[in-house]
Amino acid sequence: MSRFREHGFLLSLLGVIVAAAATPLLLGNPSLREELFLVLMLATLASSLNIIMGYTGYVSFGHIVFFGLGGYFAFYLMQTYQWNFVAAALTAALPSCVIALLIGMPILRLRGATRSFVNNFDPFGGAVGMFFNFSVYDAYGGARNAAQLAYVGMLAVALATIVTSYAIKRSKFGLALLAIREDQDVAMVVGVRPARAKVTAYVISAFFPSLAGAIFFFKNGIIEPGPAFDLLRSIEALVMVMLGGIGTLAGPVIGAALYEELRGLLITNETLSSLHLFVAGVVLLVVVLFVTAGIIGTVRQRFPPLRRYVQ
């Protein structure tokens, strides 16, 4: 019981996500499953971005690099060497972590360079990209079962990202990151090494988008440089973190759910369907000007007794 009190909010959040994700499977609703698949993917991107942005204060517009690289590496392993989907996805995340470790912060500005490299890299299909022969899905019981597997895989990755974010926030390492966010000079005085801490957080945050990218493009059966390194997706992840509450646990998840709902409404509107980037900018502007703490942060500010329960 004491353990539940200590980790109650995390367990409750995970329970809500699992219950919501199980709904389309129990109802046999493919349309709802596809919608929640995107929510889980966006929650993964937002929560992983929050590890570097929310805890260290470093804003990243290039995090989508790892989403694309994970997709490409996994696709290549599955298409060229017939690797199992799970093994390919896990292995594909490692190069992204290595790149994040070797290059560190400068990679945040290299989204365009990465896309140009992939455009001219023949093993990855160049500008055309790569696509699966549908026979690839036979090993998983057909395309329908493969889509189910991808959905469950994305749920697992989203949950793992949230748990990792929670563990970091409660650790000494997390306290060091928060100290860097508040005042890097003071953090150095008390023994924190900002460069090492930031790169470590960056490597951790690179792992989960890579898995999400591998799962997303496996389900789609095709990968191209444009969708793999889409700047809009980076901006959307930033908006979701800010909307839900930067540096909070549930904020990125709530931001992802709300933003995906808004995006769905726009897509179904003929007049507004091409205004995603504009709307994302407007939402970000409104949050920055009027709801600076995001939804979770505002709740914590307005209702102090809830601070220990809402994270």
Side-chain angles (χ1 to χ4, degrees):
M1 190 67 178
S2 60
R3 181 158 303 225
F4 179 80
R5 288 176 182 173
E6 183 181 0
H7 307 294
F9 186 80
L10 171 67
L11 296 174
S12 299
L13 178 61
L14 297 180
V16 170
I17 294 172
V18 170
T23 302
L25 299 179
L26 295 175
L27 297 179
N29 189 329
S31 177
L32 180 59
R33 186 194 67 202
E34 290 303 300
E35 182 179 345
L36 290 180
F37 177 87
L38 289 176
V39 171
L40 291 170
M41 184 187 78
L42 294 175
T44 299
L45 295 179
S47 294
S48 63
L49 176 60
N50 192 48
I51 292 175
I52 183 69
M53 177 180 159
Y55 298 163
T56 71
Y58 196 99
V59 179
S60 166
F61 286 98
H63 223 62
I64 197 64
V65 164
F66 303 115
F67 177 80
L69 287 177
Y72 263 104
F73 280 120
F75 215 100
Y76 178 76
L77 291 172
M78 285 184 280
Q79 184 186 62
T80 307
Y81 299 105
Q82 290 76 52
W83 276 39
N84 173 271
F85 157 63
V86 176
L90 290 172
T91 303
L94 299 180
S96 293
C97 293
V98 172
I99 290 172
L101 177 62
L102 294 179
I103 302 179
M105 292 304 172
I107 192 65
L108 296 172
R109 304 179 180 89
L110 293 181
R111 182 192 65 89
T114 306
R115 179 170 175 173
S116 297
F117 168 76
V118 170
N119 265 317
N120 295 280
F121 190 56
D122 289 338
F124 281 178
V128 177
M130 296 183 287
F131 61 90
F132 283 143
N133 185 305
F134 261 67
S135 62
V136 168
Y137 297 121
D138 291 344
Y140 308 96
R144 180 178 298 181
N145 286 345
Q148 296 267 38
L149 174 63
Y151 180 70
V152 174
M154 192 65 79
L155 170 62
V157 171
L159 295 177
T161 309
I162 294 167
V163 171
T164 301
S165 178
Y166 177 79
I168 290 175
K169 189 172 184 179
R170 291 174 58 88
S171 68
K172 291 183 179 179
F173 174 62
L175 292 176
L177 295 180
L178 294 175
I180 293 171
R181 185 186 71 183
E182 296 303 320
D183 192 318
Q184 183 164 306
D185 292 332
V186 173
M188 293 176 65
V189 170
V190 297
V192 176
R193 304 177 70 173
R196 176 179 293 182
K198 284 182 179 181
V199 171
T200 301
Y202 189 49
V203 170
I204 295 171
S205 70
F207 181 75
F208 299 105
S210 299
L211 290 176
I215 295 169
F216 177 77
F217 292 109
F218 165 76
K219 186 180 79 70
N220 285 5
I222 184 171
I223 184 169
E224 301 169 283
F229 303 103
D230 187 1
L231 176 61
L232 176 57
R233 208 179 294 279
S234 278
I235 295 174
E236 287 177 333
L238 176 64
V239 171
M240 288 181 280
V241 174
M242 297 291 291
L243 176 61
I246 186 170
T248 65
L249 184 67
V253 179
I254 294 174
L258 291 178
Y259 188 84
E260 177 56 26
E261 184 66 25
L262 175 61
R263 197 174 73 92
L265 293 175
L266 290 174
I267 290 175
T268 56
N269 187 299
E270 294 182 4
T271 305
L272 302 176
S273 60
S274 61
L275 298 178
H276 291 170
L277 186 58
F278 173 75
V279 172
V282 170
V283 172
L284 181 59
L285 182 63
V286 170
V287 171
V288 169
L289 292 178
F290 303 107
V291 197
T292 55
I295 294 172
I296 295 297
T298 300
V299 169
R300 288 167 57 86
Q301 289 176 356
R302 296 284 180 86
F303 306 98
L306 295 179
R307 286 186 177 181
R308 61 178 296 184
Y309 303 107
V310 180
Q311 301 177 36

